[in-house]
Amino acid sequence: MKQQRPATARSIDNNLKLHRHLVRTPGRVHTVITLRPGTDARFSTNRFHDTWHVLSDDRGAQLLSRLLWGLSYQARPGTMVLIDRPFLTPTPFDADPADPIVLVPGWCTPVDDRLARQLKTRLPLSHSDGTVRWHTFGLDRTLEPEALDSWWQGHHTRREDRGRIDRRSGLLFLTPSTPNEARAWALQAARLDTGNPFGNDYTYLDRWDYGHDGEIQIFRRFRPMVSVAGQARAQVLGRSGLPADPDALRQAVWREAEKVRGDAHLHVRVWTGAGYELGPEAAAMLAHAEVFTLDDLAALGSVEAYRRMRDESVKGLTLDMLWAMEAALTRRSRHLIDPERRRELRAQLGEAPAEPPAHRPRYRAPVRRSPRGRQQPTRMS
């Protein structure tokens, strides 16, 4: 299929151009809408804490919002939206494979196990039967603060949410039960923002019923996380004595991913089952400061422990370790150490350690004027 232009591939606006596929099943022809090749968006899925997750980044959340909002105006039975490879990546945690995602308008397109099996056998959909324009009229206007508050108030007064998020035949189905519920999911996805100290955001799609069935979660560094998880999984699978239990394998990949990222030592306070202790990598660094337990760290203090490690020229020591030790002592995430407290810690530390040097800018060839006045790159001999 024809690739998009780069500018078009990155566009997530009203009037998206998507591909249309006619999938024939016994007794019905279904219209399956897919992303065009080259679309700059990636998704993954997993199940954690008994909840199905759709995983992506800010761009993916915006695209998912457009797809759900446009779906809310769908009245033709047999229509659904499919997100399949190459827009799927392994999970950003342990590089488990992702399931194709299917958005279904539950008010006009019934889906049972038989249809799910038939759809799965026809994947991947390679031949397009044409293109469609996916209109999302009103989404941008509704996202304005006053309009959004008004919409939510009206939605909650007429709320009859019974949407489903479930996995069938290896496909993850997101099935809002009404057009309003589809728009609610779209607005929830559109409001996700990773511009916070944690670098991630999430929203539950369904009502609380002693748990949630579905969630959208996004990460600022989604694609680098996928890359790191892939490297970690490859290294774990390349060793002998692999864990037979899938959960044990995932935990091994998580630990290896910390080593690949180089931040395993930042887990200063970890739960071992019998209580909280120093993480193994953190303990190896803190041993240079004669800190062997969390009680030792509390007695010495994060600043003095950092100063001792700095004096010993401990490899890999950065200010992140100072924030991590302070977080361990105050029992919170290091991301929640506010700027004022960080300034206080640096003031107590005295001379601030040098941060890692910034990456050098990429080399660009010198530019000279051509005789006709146009700029041309200088040839380097």
Side-chain angles (χ1 to χ4, degrees), residues 62-119:
Q62 296 304 311
L63 177 57
L64 193 60
S65 172
R66 295 282 177 187
L67 295 175
L68 286 165
W69 189 270
L71 189 72
S72 72
Y73 292 97
Q74 184 56 242
R76 182 176 181 179
T79 300
M80 59 189 73
V81 178
L82 170 70
I83 301 175
D84 195 8
R85 293 167 181 79
F87 307 105
L88 297 179
T89 70
T91 66
F93 314 116
D94 41 47
D96 275 349
D99 294 322
I101 303 166
V102 188
L103 312 180
V104 181
W107 58 93
C108 65
T109 301
V111 174
D112 55 18
D113 292 341
R114 180 184 178 187
L115 176 58
R117 289 193 301 269
Q118 292 170 345
L119 179 59

Side-chain angles (χ1 to χ4, degrees), residues 265 268 278-294 296-297 300 304-306 308-310 312-315 317 321 325:
H265 62 285
V268 177
L278 291 174
E281 288 78 10
M285 294 183 69
L286 285 165
H288 293 276
E290 298 184 355
V291 172
F292 305 101
T293 66
L294 287 170
D296 292 342
L297 179 60
L300 189 62
E304 181 59 28
Y306 188 95
R308 291 186 181 185
M309 288 189 288
R310 185 184 62 184
E312 292 292 328
S313 301
V314 174
K315 184 179 179 180
L317 183 65
M321 186 60 176
M325 290 188 292

Side-chain angles (χ1 to χ4, degrees), residues 36-54:
R36 297 179 67 202
T39 299
D40 186 19
R42 294 295 181 269
F43 299 87
S44 190
T45 65
N46 79 336
R47 185 168 176 81
F48 193 64
H49 289 165
D50 296 324
T51 300
W52 287 108
H53 294 75
V54 175

Side-chain angles (χ1 to χ4, degrees), residues 90-287:
T91 66
F93 314 116
D94 41 47
D96 275 349
D99 294 322
I101 303 166
V102 188
L103 312 180
V104 181
W107 58 93
C108 65
T109 301
V111 174
D112 55 18
D113 292 341
R114 180 184 178 187
L115 176 58
R117 289 193 301 269
Q118 292 170 345
L119 179 59
K120 181 62 181 294
T121 60
R122 286 161 173 77
L123 299 185
L125 301 177
S126 56
H127 174 69
S128 171
D129 294 292
T131 58
V132 297
R133 289 291 183 178
W134 199 253
H135 298 291
T136 54
F137 299 126
L139 174 58
D140 296 323
R141 183 175 63 252
T142 306
L143 284 170
E144 296 175 1
E146 292 185 3
L148 186 62
D149 291 341
S150 176
W151 192 94
W152 277 115
Q153 290 175 6
H155 170 68
H156 283 292
T157 59
R158 59 180 183 273
R159 188 169 183 175
E160 297 179 356
D161 298 350
R162 295 184 178 85
R164 296 179 56 185
I165 302 93
D166 56 356
R167 185 177 187 268
R168 305 185 192 183
S169 301
L171 306 175
L172 183 60
F173 286 89
L174 275 62
T175 311
S177 60
T178 65
N180 261 333
E181 188 173 21
R183 292 174 199 136
W185 290 7
L187 293 171
Q188 289 172 247
R191 296 178 68 193
L192 293 176
D193 182 10
T194 61
N196 57 62
F198 294 97
N200 65 76
D201 200 0
Y202 67 93
T203 183
Y204 293 113
L205 295 178
D206 57 327
R207 283 185 173 184
W208 169 261
D209 185 14
Y210 299 98
H212 291 281
D213 292 331
E215 175 183 336
I216 302 172
Q217 187 173 20
I218 63 172
F219 300 88
R220 186 187 308 150
R221 294 180 52 79
F222 174 74
R223 299 192 193 193
M225 289 171 63
V226 171
S227 177
V228 168
Q231 294 178 49
R233 189 180 186 91
Q235 292 177 14
V236 170
L237 294 178
R239 299 170 185 162
S240 59
L242 289 176
D245 179 38
D247 289 336
L249 176 61
R250 292 188 184 97
Q251 293 177 18
V253 175
W254 297 344
R255 291 191 295 269
E256 189 65 26
E258 292 175 348
K259 297 177 182 178
V260 173
R261 290 193 303 268
D263 62 3
H265 62 285
L266 300 180
H267 295 276
V268 177
R269 183 174 180 266
V270 299
W271 177 258
T272 62
Y276 284 100
E277 297 179 2
L278 291 174
E281 288 78 10
M285 294 183 69
L286 285 165

Side-chain angles (χ1 to χ4, degrees), residues 4-29:
Q4 301 183 71
R5 296 176 180 176
T8 306
R10 292 186 58 83
S11 175
I12 305 178
D13 297 321
N14 180 38
N15 207 27
L16 284 171
K17 193 174 183 180
L18 304 174
H19 276 173
R20 174 175 56 87
H21 305 261
L22 299 180
V23 178
R24 292 170 174 81
T25 60
R28 169 160 288 182
V29 177

